[in-house]
Amino acid sequence: ADCCTRVRLAAVAAVAARPADAQMSTVGPLMGQLCALAFLARIIGPSSPAVGRVTGAYLLLCTLAAVVSVTGGTARAQMLGESTTGAALLWRLLGALAYTDELGARFAVQLWLFGGFSSELEQDGRWAAVPHRYAALLALGAALICSLCAALPWRGEQPLLVAQPLAFFVVSLWARAEPKRRVQLGGAVSVGAAAAPWCLLALSVAVAGSRASLPNLIALGAALALDAALAACPPPPPAVRSSASALAAAAAAGGGVAAAAGAAAAAR
């Protein structure tokens, strides 16, 4: 698991370091597509790690948004626009929650960053114990990020996109759940899990600038606040059956035991 985390963060650092090429030539998009294919090969291999259902469903939404952005047309305009009526609202929601870029470097970063850490977090006992609890966690995180990012003073200058901040949200929660783990950035610098989100944020600032990275900082703050709230008021354990249903199950089990004993006696 430690090796997988090391490789994952190395791939993230390598892809994120060249976003300018994605705007200036074909190098960036090609590199992003190759890294996306590497992620696909990693999850479908014979010894591949399990991908959670919620994580897989969200990655499919990210892929759909990227493919739609490549094809262009009305759907792409609606996905990145501000329309709130009819089918355009559905495309806008898809863009806000899952759009990164057109199958390029940022799309590959989203696959490696969200796909790896979210799968591990989804299988954590706190979220795996109850169906749909992890999906509710992501929905709550997206709502927090959207509400906080909507208050930014330059919000009207660009569409609201929370896919990458949601990945930072997941990484921060994973780091809180695995405080003793160590990861390697770029295969060279080893840091504790608690420092990994902040190192990735520093990389984001260096690559994209402080203004573009502010939603990622907001996501880290939302994750820390939510983790503190969960620590103060932990989620309830899985629901137990009522006493009546428990008695009925016990009676059924007792009847089955008695029937088996009777059959054994008759055979003798």
Side-chain angles (χ1 to χ4, degrees):
D2 219 28
C3 181
C4 291
T5 303
R6 182 165 53 250
V7 172
R8 184 186 312 131
L9 283 179
V12 169
V15 174
R18 299 287 297 279
D21 288 345
Q23 306 293 332
M24 300 171 58
S25 67
T26 61
V27 176
L30 178 59
M31 183 179 63
Q33 291 160 18
L34 290 175
C35 289
L37 290 176
F39 177 81
L40 179 63
R42 177 177 178 267
I43 64 174
I44 65 176
S47 59
S48 60
V51 176
R53 292 183 179 181
V54 176
T55 300
Y58 180 76
L59 292 180
L60 286 177
L61 288 179
C62 291
T63 303
L64 174 61
V67 171
V68 169
S69 68
V70 170
T71 58
T74 304
R76 184 183 188 280
Q78 292 174 343
M79 188 172 65
L80 298 178
E82 295 295 336
S83 178
T84 57
T85 59
L89 176 59
L90 297 178
W91 286 116
R92 182 66 194 99
L93 288 175
L94 175 65
L97 294 175
Y99 176 76
T100 49
D101 70 354
E102 301 178 355
L103 296 175
R106 290 193 179 97
F107 173 68
V109 168
Q110 187 72 3
L111 292 181
W112 283 92
L113 195 60
F114 185 92
F117 289 101
S118 178
S119 291
E120 291 191 18
L121 187 63
E122 184 176 354
Q123 295 164 18
D124 185 273
R126 292 184 300 171
W127 314 113
V130 178
H132 313 304
R133 179 177 283 179
Y134 185 68
L137 172 70
L138 292 184
L140 178 59
L144 286 173
I145 295 169
C146 284
S147 60
L148 293 173
C149 289
L152 293 176
W154 56 84
R155 164 67 189 86
E157 300 177 12
Q158 55 188 8
L160 178 61
L161 305 174
V162 300
Q164 189 176 82
L166 189 61
F168 274 78
F169 175 83
V170 166
V171 172
S172 183
L173 286 180
W174 171 87
R176 300 289 293 177
E178 301 283 351
K180 296 182 179 180
R181 293 274 291 273
R182 296 196 65 82
V183 295
Q184 288 193 6
L185 300 178
V189 181
S190 177
V191 298
W198 303 102
C199 292
L200 291 174
L201 179 65
L203 177 62
S204 174
V205 171
V207 169
S210 57
R211 180 167 169 173
S213 301
L214 186 56
N216 297 336
L217 176 61
I218 290 175
L220 293 185
L224 294 176
L226 183 58
D227 183 74
L230 290 174
C233 301
V240 297
R241 293 178 297 178
S242 65
S243 58
S245 61
L247 288 175
V257 172
R268 287 197 297 268

